[in-house]
């Protein structure tokens, strides 16, 4: 006999029948603090609707590393209907099911509520399917500490310090949205019933295939929507010959079948190029290989239709390459994709890759497909559209095709569960629309630095929250729902913003308190232990071993972003100045930040008085950037420590430019060297070395014969308190050819100049160094060093 009363089961069944007519999903939350009761209710519901969900798989997501989570899964599996296919997956493996479609999904949220997990799972159920969320009671959810939250409890804070705003938002949004019911399993009572609204039957999808096309009908018939047909048709343009680069830019909300459509079109394009050229190589790149699995799968389907025997290579259950005679499709991380060549480059989730790296990829390939999600857990693509497409359209050497998909593949438009997840995770947040009055306020500097009440911002002031978070979505290439969760839950994070006098948010700041570690934690860090939530103190103590830094208390700027329509108007600098005032007043010792080192971004921080103090030893494989940490000391003690660290960093950087920083952009390296302190240091060159160098500077010896001396002089030049004047190009020549020890070819490529020009500049630098550091001002004065005797060497003239 079921635990759930039949009339309640009937309600769920009737609502699911209505949802199927509309092609929409439904979500039922079942809560209890009794594990066995939760499982029993879930089984009762599944038995009631099994005829509606049969014919496809049901997904059951749980936490395998919690014993009670594994126990509930076993209990459910024992009682589950035998005529329904159920796939069980642990949350840490969710990436393996992306792109799959299920008739229903049971989500065990007892042990954890993580925004990213919700973002991934809320796209896998087809229209007419049911999500069943198993949760503790609301009271227990607010009192307990989840795994996600426990990782946010950093030294100096306890579980009672957690803010719990995301949990409250989650509960509030479940109550607000249509298509959702909430069931109290303990009281056998619907806290919220499915809203009874008029349901319009789902319109039959009519797909019109192109009449005049090179692509066969059998390929188009793999498409499920008209949008997908249009995407596939655009691959014809990529096949045609052109003197210009051909770029296809595809954007879509999640669940529109973007990756599968790209895969279908790509499979046909590869087949045609293989026939025309005898071979075809395609590079697929994305933040990680999980993003391109659907592209691989559907490209493989089309190639098999054309009878190409495929050799598929996988790593950790993910496809990483497909090969056949004359055909290769291979996944490479963005940084590796930049170092190779291919007939076609596919960049999936392009919004998650920095714009400078996208342009480097663009310069390397002739046929490119940039595909990106606009709203989804993978990140948001509006910033990609604003920052990348605008510049792309201005290029005269590019034929660009643009298409935005709108029609969902798995469910009908206006799906209430999509509306709920977009709202809950702010996936569709946008910056404020700025009027002429708002823009005038910015121009006149009529802006205020504002510290919002976080309970009001996160739980009540939805408009301001969306304006605040929407700026991040526009400005940052790496966004995911966990960023929102951290902001709302972490006890050491806090929010500031800059608003116009008209009330619009134009700068968003997320900040974190770090430091005040005490001697014991500082010593642990110095020995190599990882200090949670203390990124800057951890790096400073690990790399420089100055334990005193752990005593200091600072503010790390986690993220700062300006509204895209009012950038470069001083708002970011205004926000930093006001933050500095606030931090000084509250007794903080320093403010700092860590970010991917680009010249533009680094220049912003240096201009605002921040000192570079650390550079990661490896590039981020997705962004292709080294991470730099900058600090602005506020107290006298912090100033002394940071000065010592910055000097040591400069010394280390000068000696590390050949390796590991050989591929650091010369402009970034130069900015780091010029932004760090200059200081008096002993300098001398033995006579024989001096003679060799002067022969290069004032006669006909080549630089290769005295690179050791040139390198020593270059290092001294960047340290010297009063160095001689060099042009920017001369400094870049020093960095690239001398300090990074790059080949002539690499130097010319980096600096975009000719061989005669770079050799001339280096020769001129040698003469300047000769005058400034060696007191030799002419060929005549250098001449005495060209004819040395044993006596000269012994007397060391």
């Amino acid at each position: 006999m079921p635990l759930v009363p039949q009339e309640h089961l009937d309600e769920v069944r009737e609502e699911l029948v209505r949802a199927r007519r509309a092609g929409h999903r439904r979500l039922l939350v079942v809560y209890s603090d009794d594990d066995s009761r939760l499982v029993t209710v879930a089984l009762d519901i599944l038995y009631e609707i099994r005829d509606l969900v049969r014919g496809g798989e049901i997904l059951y997501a749980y936490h395998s590393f919690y014993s009670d989570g594994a126990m509930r899964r076993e209990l459910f599996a024992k009682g589950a209907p035998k005529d329904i296919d159920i796939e069980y997956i642990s949350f840490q493996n969710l990436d393996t099911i992306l792109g799959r479609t299920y008739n229903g999904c049971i989500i065990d949220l007892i042990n954890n509520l993580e925004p990213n997990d919700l973002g991934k799972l809320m796209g896998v159920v087809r229209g007419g399917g049911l999500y069943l969320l198993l949760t503790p009671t609301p009271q227990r959810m607010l009192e307990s500490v989840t795994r996600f939250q426990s990782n946010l409890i950093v030294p100096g804070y306890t579980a009672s310090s957690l803010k719990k705003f995301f949990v409250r938002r989650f509960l509030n949004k479940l109550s607000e949205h249509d298509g959702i019911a909430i069931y109290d399993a303990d009281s056998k009572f619907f806290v919220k019933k499915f809203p009874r609204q008029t349901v319009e039957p789902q319109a039959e999808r009519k797909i019109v295939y192109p009449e005049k096309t090179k692509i066969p009908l059998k390929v188009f018939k793999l498409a499920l929507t008209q949008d997908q047909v249009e995407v596939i048709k655009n691959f014809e343009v990529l096949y045609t010959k052109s003197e210009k680069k051909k770029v296809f830019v595809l954007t879509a909300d999640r669940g529109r079948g973007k990756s599968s459509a790209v895969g279908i079109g790509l499979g046909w394009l590869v087949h045609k190029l293989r026939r025309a050229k005898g071979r075809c190589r395609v590079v697929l790149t994305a933040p990680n290989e999980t993003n391109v699995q659907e592209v691989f799968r559907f490209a493989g389907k089309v190639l098999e239709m054309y009878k190409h025997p495929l050799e598929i290579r996988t790593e950790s259950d993910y496809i990483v390459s497909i090969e056949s005679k004359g055909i290769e499709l291979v996944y490479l991380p963005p940084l590796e994709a930049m170092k190779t060549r291919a007939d076609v480059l596919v960049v999936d989730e392009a919004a998650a890759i920095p714009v400078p790296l996208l342009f480097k990829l663009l310069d390397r390939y002739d046929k490119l497909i940039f595909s990106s999600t606009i709203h989804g857990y993978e990140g948001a693509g509006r910033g990609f559209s604003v920052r990348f497409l605008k510049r792309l359209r201005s290029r005269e050497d590019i034929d660009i095709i643009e298409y935005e998909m709108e029609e969902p593949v798995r469910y009908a438009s206006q799906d209430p569960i999509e509306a709920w997840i977009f709202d809950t995770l702010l996936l569709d947040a946008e910056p404020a629309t700025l009027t002429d009055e708002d823009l005038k306020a910015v121009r006149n500097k009529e802006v205020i630095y504002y510290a919002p009440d976080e309970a009001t911002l996160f739980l009540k002031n939805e408009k301001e929250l969306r304006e605040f978070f929407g700026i991040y979505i526009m400005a940052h290439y790496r966004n995911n729902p966990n960023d929102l969760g951290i902001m709302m839950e972490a006890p050491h994070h806090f929010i500031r913003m800059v608003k116009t006098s008209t009330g619009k948010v134009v700068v968003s700041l997320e900040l974190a308190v770090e430091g005040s570690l005490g001697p014991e934690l500082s010593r642990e860090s110095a020995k190599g232990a990882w200090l949670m939530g203390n990124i800057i103190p951890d790096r400073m103590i690990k790399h420089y071993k100055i334990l005193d830094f752990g005593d200091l208390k600072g503010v790390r700027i986690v993220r700062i972003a300006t509204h895209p329509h009012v950038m470069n108007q001083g708002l970011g600098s205004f926000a930093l100045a006001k933050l500095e005032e606030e931090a000084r007043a509250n007794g903080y010792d320093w403010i700092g930040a860590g970010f991917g080192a680009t010249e533009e971004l680094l220049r912003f921080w240096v201009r605002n008085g921040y000192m570079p103090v650390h550079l990661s030893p490896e590039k981020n494989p997705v962004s292709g950037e080294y991470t730099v940490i900058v600090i602005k000391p506020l107290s006298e003690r912090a100033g002394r420590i940071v000065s010592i660290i910055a000097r040591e960093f400069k010394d280390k950087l000068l000696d590390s430019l050949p390796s590991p920083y050989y591929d650091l952009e010369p402009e970034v390296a130069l900015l780091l060297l010029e932004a760090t302190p200059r200081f008096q240091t002993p300098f001398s060159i033995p006579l024989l070395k001096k003679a060799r160098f002067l022969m290069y500077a004032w006669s006909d010896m080549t630089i290769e014969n005295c690179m050791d001396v040139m390198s020593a002089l270059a290092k001294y030049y960047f340290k010297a308190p009063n160095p001689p004047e060099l042009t920017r190009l001369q400094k870049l020549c020093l960095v690239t050819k001398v300090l990074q020890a790059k080949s002539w070819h690499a130097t010319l490529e980096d600096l975009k100049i000719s061989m005669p020009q770079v050799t001339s500049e280096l020769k001129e630098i040698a003469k300047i160094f000769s005058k400034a550091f060696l007191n030799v001002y002419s060929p005549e004065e250098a001449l005495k060093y060209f004819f040395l005797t044993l006596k000269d060497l012994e007397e060391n003239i």
Side-chain angles (χ1 to χ4, degrees):
M1 182 177 175
L3 179 67
V4 181
Q6 188 57 48
E7 61 268 26
H8 294 168
L9 294 173
D10 290 343
E11 284 202 39
V12 175
R13 181 183 180 82
E14 288 170 17
E15 186 61 29
L16 204 55
V17 169
R18 287 159 51 82
R20 283 164 69 91
R21 284 203 300 270
H24 290 162
R25 289 95 49 83
R26 293 293 182 264
L27 188 151
L28 174 60
V29 181
V30 178
Y31 68 70
S32 171
D33 290 333
D34 184 316
D35 283 9
S36 61
R37 185 173 293 143
L38 275 175
V39 172
T40 303
V41 170
L43 287 169
D44 285 351
I45 292 166
L46 186 56
Y47 272 97
E48 178 64 32
I49 64 169
R50 62 179 170 173
D51 59 313
L52 300 178
V53 297
R54 198 184 289 125
E57 282 187 307
I58 299 291
L59 185 67
Y60 183 103
Y62 70 108
H63 287 283
S64 61
F65 38 76
Y66 285 98
S67 57
D68 59 322
M71 180 272 292
R72 286 188 296 273
R73 180 250 194 238
E74 291 301 321
L75 197 60
F76 183 88
K78 284 181 183 176
K82 305 302 179 192
D83 57 347
I84 292 181
D85 293 327
I86 301 175
E87 181 178 350
Y88 298 90
I89 189 151
S90 184
F91 281 98
Q92 71 262 34
N93 296 323
L94 286 182
D95 284 346
T96 62
I97 55 95
L98 296 179
R100 303 269 301 279
T101 305
Y102 299 86
N103 284 357
C105 182
I106 298 157
I107 306 175
D108 182 341
L109 295 177
I110 306 298
N111 303 111
N112 199 30
L113 173 63
E114 188 160 336
N116 272 3
D117 291 342
L118 290 175
K120 291 174 183 179
L121 285 167
M122 285 300 147
V124 301
V125 171
R126 63 170 46 92
L130 177 70
Y131 280 103
L132 191 57
L133 270 55
L134 308 182
T135 75
T137 59
Q139 187 63 34
R140 187 174 154 208
M141 285 187 81
L142 291 169
E143 292 172 354
S144 61
V145 177
T146 66
R147 181 171 176 268
F148 177 71
Q149 292 168 332
S150 66
N151 289 331
L152 303 177
I153 303 170
V154 301
Y157 297 88
T158 64
S160 62
S161 310
L162 287 164
K163 297 189 285 194
K164 301 291 184 81
F165 291 132
F166 181 76
V167 177
R168 293 177 196 174
R169 179 178 182 82
F170 172 75
L171 294 171
N172 290 346
K173 293 299 178 182
L174 287 171
S175 297
E176 291 174 15
H177 277 267
D178 293 335
I180 298 172
I182 303 171
Y183 190 74
D184 181 342
D186 298 325
S187 304
K188 300 181 183 179
F189 173 73
F190 274 107
V191 177
K192 176 193 176 189
K193 292 190 174 187
F194 287 111
R196 290 287 184 176
Q197 293 184 315
T198 304
V199 173
E200 296 293 332
Q202 182 181 6
E204 183 182 347
R205 279 183 173 151
K206 292 180 179 178
I207 298 179
V208 179
Y209 301 111
E211 291 182 6
K212 293 182 179 179
T213 173
K214 293 179 179 142
I215 303 174
L217 186 60
K218 65 179 181 179
V219 174
F220 279 116
K221 285 197 169 180
L222 291 173
L224 298 177
T225 65
Q226 189 66 43
D227 259 347
Q228 286 189 318
V229 167
E230 299 305 320
V231 170
I232 296 164
K233 191 174 187 308
N234 278 312
F235 276 78
E236 276 192 325
V237 182
L238 290 171
Y239 178 65
T240 56
K241 290 183 179 179
S242 170
E243 292 182 3
K244 294 184 177 182
K245 289 178 181 288
K246 288 191 174 291
V247 179
F248 181 21
V249 179
L250 176 63
T251 52
D253 281 349
R254 192 172 177 223
R256 269 57 183 172
K258 164 181 59 66
S259 295
S260 50
V262 168
I264 295 166
L266 183 65
W268 172 82
L269 181 62
V270 168
H271 168 72
K272 291 291 286 183
L273 290 173
R274 161 70 176 81
R275 288 187 63 183
K277 300 171 58 178
R279 58 164 183 78
C280 179
R281 183 171 193 256
V282 176
V283 169
L284 287 81
T285 192
N288 61 64
E289 62 270 26
T290 62
N291 301 121
V292 295
Q293 292 307 293
E294 288 296 280
V295 180
F296 268 129
R297 275 196 282 267
F298 279 88
K301 275 187 180 182
V302 175
L303 290 172
E304 285 176 334
M305 286 170 57
Y306 282 109
K307 310 299 183 188
H308 293 285
L310 303 183
E311 184 180 327
I312 298 174
R313 187 166 66 87
T314 62
E315 289 179 7
S316 304
D317 296 327
Y318 296 115
I319 302 171
V320 292
S321 73
I322 294 177
E323 293 185 21
S324 190
K325 186 178 180 182
I327 290 174
E328 181 189 17
L329 287 80
V330 60
Y331 168 78
L332 295 174
L335 212 51
E336 289 185 37
M338 213 173 64
K339 300 172 184 174
T340 188
R341 301 275 184 189
D343 300 286
V344 183
L345 175 71
V346 178
V347 185
D348 209 351
E349 297 312 331
I353 297 172
V355 170
L357 183 51
L358 293 178
F359 276 104
K360 287 179 181 177
L361 290 167
L362 177 67
D363 290 340
R364 195 157 186 89
Y365 296 85
D366 292 327
K367 294 181 189 291
L368 304 97
I369 298 133
F370 292 103
S371 168
S372 198
T373 305
I374 295 174
H375 303 124
Y377 79 90
E378 303 93 335
R382 290 299 185 197
F384 162 77
S385 303
V386 169
R387 291 175 294 125
F388 181 62
L389 283 179
K390 188 176 179 182
R391 285 167 59 187
L392 199 62
R393 292 180 189 124
S394 67
R395 293 266 298 255
E396 294 182 358
D397 62 331
I398 292 172
D399 281 335
I400 182 172
I401 313 153
E402 298 177 51
Y403 191 83
E404 182 173 337
M405 302 175 76
E406 297 180 353
E407 191 177 354
V409 170
R410 296 183 181 95
Y411 42 83
S413 298
Q414 311 302 316
D415 175 74
I417 307 309
E418 181 178 84
W420 167 75
I421 197 65
F422 274 35
D423 186 17
T424 302
L425 301 181
L426 293 176
L427 299 179
D428 54 355
E430 301 273 354
T433 301
L434 300 182
T435 64
D436 288 343
E437 186 184 3
D438 303 323
L439 295 172
K440 182 181 177 184
V442 170
R443 284 195 300 272
N444 295 336
K445 299 295 185 286
E446 295 169 359
V447 292
I448 57 167
Y449 176 76
Y450 178 61
D453 174 74
E454 291 193 356
T456 303
L457 175 69
F458 290 134
L459 300 177
K460 295 178 181 177
N461 196 341
E462 190 76 13
K463 178 179 178 291
E464 188 164 278
L465 177 60
R466 285 180 163 273
E467 289 182 9
F468 173 85
F469 202 72
I471 288 175
Y472 283 142
I473 287 176
M474 278 288 202
H476 286 264
Y477 54 83
R478 286 189 291 264
N479 282 287
N480 63 53
N482 275 3
D483 295 329
L484 178 66
I486 292 167
M487 191 185 297
M488 289 185 162
E489 302 284 29
H492 61 301
H493 281 234
F494 62 104
I495 300 301
R496 293 294 182 266
M497 57 181 71
V498 174
K499 297 171 70 173
T500 63
S501 55
T502 52
K504 302 286 180 65
V505 181
V506 287
V507 180
S508 300
L509 296 99
E510 180 185 359
L511 310 160
V513 177
E514 296 191 347
S516 299
L517 300 176
E520 189 176 330
L521 280 175
S522 295
R523 290 179 70 85
E524 288 299 311
S525 175
K527 290 192 295 184
W530 164 245
L531 298 182
M532 287 178 59
N534 281 272
I535 291 173
I536 290 179
D538 181 77
R539 298 301 189 280
M540 294 303 98
I541 296 170
K542 269 192 178 65
H543 290 273
Y544 300 103
K545 308 304 178 187
I546 303 175
L547 299 184
D548 303 57
F549 195 91
D551 296 335
L552 305 177
K553 186 178 183 181
V555 175
R556 176 169 64 89
I557 300 167
V558 181
R559 297 200 287 182
I560 177 172
T562 301
H563 193 298
H565 292 164
V566 286
M567 295 180 76
N568 303 315
Q569 296 191 42
L571 291 172
S573 297
F574 170 81
L576 291 182
K578 290 296 184 182
L579 172 61
E580 184 182 334
E581 287 178 18
E582 180 185 9
R584 285 183 189 278
N586 290 325
Y588 286 96
D589 296 290
W590 54 266
I591 304 175
F595 51 90
T598 63
E599 185 186 12
E600 182 183 14
L601 199 50
L602 182 58
R603 196 172 293 285
F604 165 77
W605 290 99
V606 169
R607 192 170 63 241
N608 281 285
Y610 286 74
M611 179 73 69
V613 290
H614 177 69
L615 194 66
S616 63
E618 294 177 345
K619 279 189 172 186
N620 181 300
V622 173
S623 70
E625 298 162 351
Y626 290 97
T627 299
V628 64
I629 289 176
V630 296
I631 296 177
K632 187 169 192 176
L634 304 180
S635 67
E636 186 268 340
R637 189 182 182 200
R640 283 156 48 208
I641 295 172
V642 169
S643 177
I644 293 168
I645 288 174
R647 283 180 57 169
E648 178 64 19
F649 169 64
K650 183 170 203 162
D651 260 342
K652 178 185 173 187
L653 179 63
L654 282 166
D655 288 334
S656 302
L657 282 171
S659 178
Y661 302 123
Y662 174 86
D663 57 352
L664 178 65
E665 286 78 3
E667 296 80 6
V668 174
L670 177 59
L671 187 49
L672 288 170
L673 292 172
E674 295 198 310
T676 39
R678 290 182 175 273
F679 47 92
Q680 198 68 53
T681 182
F683 181 72
S684 65
I685 295 178
L687 182 57
L688 285 177
K689 291 181 185 291
K690 185 175 181 179
R692 265 192 296 118
F693 175 75
L694 292 173
M695 188 73 178
Y696 165 63
W698 299 105
S699 189
D700 57 359
M701 185 176 279
T702 64
I703 191 172
E704 284 83 357
N705 288 294
C706 64
M707 192 60 83
D708 57 332
V709 190
M710 194 68 166
S711 178
L713 286 164
K715 290 176 183 178
Y716 183 67
Y717 165 80
F718 281 111
K719 293 179 188 176
N722 298 298
E725 191 71 29
L726 294 182
T727 67
R728 176 173 167 79
L729 177 58
Q730 287 171 339
K731 293 174 189 176
L732 288 171
C733 286
L734 271 187
V735 169
T736 310
K737 181 60 187 169
V738 179
L739 293 175
Q740 290 184 303
K742 291 188 176 180
S743 67
W744 288 112
H745 175 77
T747 299
L748 301 180
E749 195 171 78
D750 275 1
L751 301 182
K752 305 290 188 290
I753 58 176
S754 67
M755 185 72 175
Q757 193 175 359
V758 72
T759 53
S760 171
E761 294 292 354
L762 287 168
K763 194 86 163 177
E764 184 60 31
I765 294 168
K767 290 176 183 175
I768 293 169
F769 284 177
S770 172
K771 295 173 185 177
F773 301 142
L774 304 180
N775 296 315
V776 176
Y777 293 87
S778 67
E780 291 73 26
E781 290 183 41
L783 197 60
K784 67 177 180 178
Y785 293 93
F786 298 172
F787 309 104
L788 300 176
T789 65
L790 180 60
K791 183 181 177 182
D792 294 330
L793 296 174
E794 289 175 343
E795 293 180 359
N796 199 14
I797 61 170

